[in-house]
Each structure stands twice: as structure tokens, then as C-alpha cells.
């Protein structure tokens, strides 16, 4: 079946470090891919998305490229800030009903 | 972006009692809302799709009589955990879909409700 695997956390980095959170997927067909973020005490928010192969989603300095050949959608940011501390979820959807299949989430902790 | 609000954010109840969780779309109408459950260190699991004015569609393995969903208006869906037991303790999250111009339908999420059953 369809599934999403993302790296286990927590990931702890110093401010201004480079961030990569790995996400790989298994899907029959061509999914749309998403990164959601949950800041402490808040609801989940869409961070970025990509709907077809080689698309790059970007927002707030974060980027992720839809790689069909490696079935990956890794999240990257060149210089993280303390305010980026949150839980990040990778997800995919296969159909227009928009039912998402989620990764387990990766907690990111940025130290000043 | 659109705002989805859940209430309560925390609830503790005794085993055998029922608990209702509300999910409201504050600045838009949502014909479809989704209810998820999250276990510790695990991914969100879709429980059911709530459709305004009709019966909810439950995912396989989710007990309909245990998790009652009512979507009586375009801005409110409720999840009632009936005769709660400690194994029902979890984090419940709702979401509502807003269609954007490229028709991929962005989801907006509530803050989540943590249920603890003693």
C-alpha cells in the first residue's frame, strides 16, 4: 500500500545550521507530496507542496523537491532559526478526495 | 489562511463516560471535514471523513458506534467518543478542506484535542 517514511527525531541543531529532514514514500501511481508543520501549541499548517515529479515546493526558506526516481521529498533549509522548532510531517495524497497518508513526524529542536 | 478551531484542547474523563470534541471552521464553510487520531510517536491516522448533512465515512477498523461523528452545519463537526476507555486516550485532530485555484484543496487543521481516559 501507500506509505510515507520520515526520519526519526528529535533532530537537534544549532541556529544557522543546515537542515535536512528525509522523507521517502511508497505509492502506486503519482502522488502529490506535502510537508506540514506543527508549532508548539498550534494546529498543523501546510508548509509546502509539490504535485508532480521534479517540482520544487518552497516556503519560509524551506524547500523540497519531488524526486520520482528516488521516491523522496526531503525537506531542506539553509540556515535554521530557533523559531523553526516544531514537528514536521511529510504526507502524500493519491486522489482528489484529499485523504492524506502521513509520516510519523520529526521533531526539530533548534538551540540558540 | 483559513482557521479551524477545536475544543476542548485538553480533556480528562473517567472510563465509561462519553466525550464530545468540536471542530469549527471559523471563516469559511466546510462541506467536508476529516478526523484524525495520533498515537505517540506514530503518524496521523485518518479515522473518518465527515460530510455536512450526511453520514460520515469511516476508515476500516474504526468503530462507528464508538466514534460518533456529526456534521450538522457547514461550520461545525463533532466527534463523540462514547463509553471511553483508557485505550481511547490519544490526540484527536480535525481538518477542513478549502479549495484553492489549482484545485488541489489545501487542508487546514485544528489545534488538536488531547483525550486522557482514567
Amino acid at each position: 500500500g501507500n506509505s510515507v517514511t520520515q526520519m526519526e527525531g528529535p533532530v537537534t541543531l544549532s541556529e544557522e545550521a543546515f537542515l535536512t529532514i528525509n522523507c521517502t514514500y511508497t505509492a502506486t501511481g503519482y502522488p502529490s507530496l506535502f510537508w506540514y508543520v506543527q508549532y508548539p501549541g498550534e494546529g498543523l499548517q501546510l508548509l509546502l507542496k509539490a504535485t508532480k515529479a521534479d517540482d520544487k515546493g518552497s516556503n519560509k526558506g524551506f524547500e523540497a523537491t519531488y524526486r520520482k526516481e528516488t521516491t523522496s521529498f526531503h525537506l531542506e533549509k539553509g540556515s535554521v532559526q530557533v523559531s523553526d522548532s516544531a514537528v514536521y510531517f511529510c504526507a502524500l495524497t493519491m486522489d482528489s478526495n484529499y485523504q492524506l497518508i502521513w509520516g510519523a513526524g520529526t521533531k526539530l529542536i533548534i538551540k540558540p | 489562511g483559513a482557521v479551524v478551531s477545536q475544543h476542548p484542547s485538553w480533556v480528562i474523563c473517567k472510563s465509561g463516560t462519553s466525550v464530545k470534541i468540536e471542530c469549527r471552521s471559523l471563516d469559511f464553510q466546510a462541506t467536508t471535514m476529516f478526523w484524525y487520531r495520533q498515537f505517540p510517536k506514530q503518524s496521523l491516522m485518518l479515522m473518518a471523513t465527515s460530510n455536512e448533512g450526511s453520514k460520515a465515512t469511516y476508515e476500516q477498523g474504526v468503530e462507528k458506534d464508538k466514534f460518533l461523528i456529526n456534521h450538522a452545519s457547514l461550520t461545525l463537526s463533532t466527534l463523540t467518543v462514547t463509553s471511553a476507555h483508557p485505550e481511547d486516550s490519544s490526540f484527536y485532530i480535525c481538518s477542513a478542506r478549502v479549495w484553492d485555484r489549482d484545485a488541489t484543496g489545501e487542508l487546514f487543521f485544528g489545534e488538536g484535542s488531547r483525550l486522557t481516559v482514567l
Side-chain angles (χ1 to χ4, degrees):
Chain A
N2 302 319
S3 65
V4 175
T5 303
Q6 60 182 106
M7 64 192 293
E8 278 193 41
V11 173
T12 303
L13 296 172
S14 296
E15 209 165 16
E16 299 183 2
F18 184 87
L19 167 72
T20 301
I21 300 178
N22 290 336
C23 172
T24 56
Y25 66 90
T26 302
T28 52
Y30 304 99
S32 295
L33 301 172
F34 305 84
W35 276 101
Y36 281 82
V37 57
Q38 186 173 27
Y39 297 104
E42 298 184 19
L44 281 160
Q45 306 172 27
L46 178 65
L47 180 59
L48 52 84
K49 66 182 180 185
T51 56
K52 60 183 187 296
D54 300 324
D55 270 1
K56 177 186 284 188
S58 61
N59 185 24
K60 298 181 181 180
F62 291 89
E63 291 183 342
T65 301
Y66 187 145
R67 301 280 187 207
K68 182 169 171 285
E69 63 276 14
T70 55
T71 61
S72 65
F73 194 54
H74 304 321
L75 182 68
E76 296 182 335
K77 186 173 185 181
S79 176
V80 292
Q81 306 299 314
V82 173
S83 57
D84 294 326
S85 298
V87 181
Y88 292 81
F89 291 88
C90 185
L92 70 82
T93 185
M94 292 299 300
D95 55 38
S96 59
N97 196 33
Y98 214 83
Q99 292 182 359
L100 287 163
I101 296 167
W102 297 86
T106 302
K107 185 172 184 177
L108 175 65
I109 301 169
I110 306 300
K111 295 187 173 180
Chain B
V3 177
V4 175
S5 177
Q6 265 182 259
H7 178 81
S9 53
W10 283 86
V11 57
I12 300 173
C13 69
K14 293 182 179 179
S15 188
T17 60
S18 294
V19 174
K20 181 186 284 187
I21 301 169
E22 294 185 347
C23 178
R24 293 181 184 274
S25 56
L26 296 187
D27 51 1
F28 67 101
Q29 293 181 333
T31 55
T32 302
M33 290 184 173
F34 301 93
W35 286 96
Y36 299 86
R37 183 174 179 178
Q38 186 178 17
F39 295 96
K41 298 186 179 180
Q42 295 186 32
S43 63
L44 288 164
M45 180 191 77
L46 179 65
M47 298 175 65
T49 303
S50 169
N51 300 296
E52 187 269 335
S54 65
K55 291 183 179 180
T57 304
Y58 290 81
E59 295 301 301
Q60 194 172 7
V62 178
E63 298 176 59
K64 300 178 185 180
D65 296 330
K66 176 74 172 175
F67 299 100
L68 299 179
I69 291 173
N70 187 306
H71 194 157
S73 79
L74 287 170
T75 60
L76 174 64
S77 176
T78 60
L79 168 68
T80 301
V81 182
T82 62
S83 187
H85 291 282
E87 58 266 28
D88 299 324
S89 298
S90 192
F91 194 59
Y92 294 88
I93 302 174
C94 73
S95 71
R97 185 172 58 196
V98 177
W99 289 106
D100 52 24
R101 274 177 277 180
D102 63 8
T104 51
E106 182 174 345
L107 278 176
F108 292 88
F109 290 83
E111 308 92 329
S113 301
R114 184 165 299 284
L115 170 63
T116 302
V117 185
L118 302 176

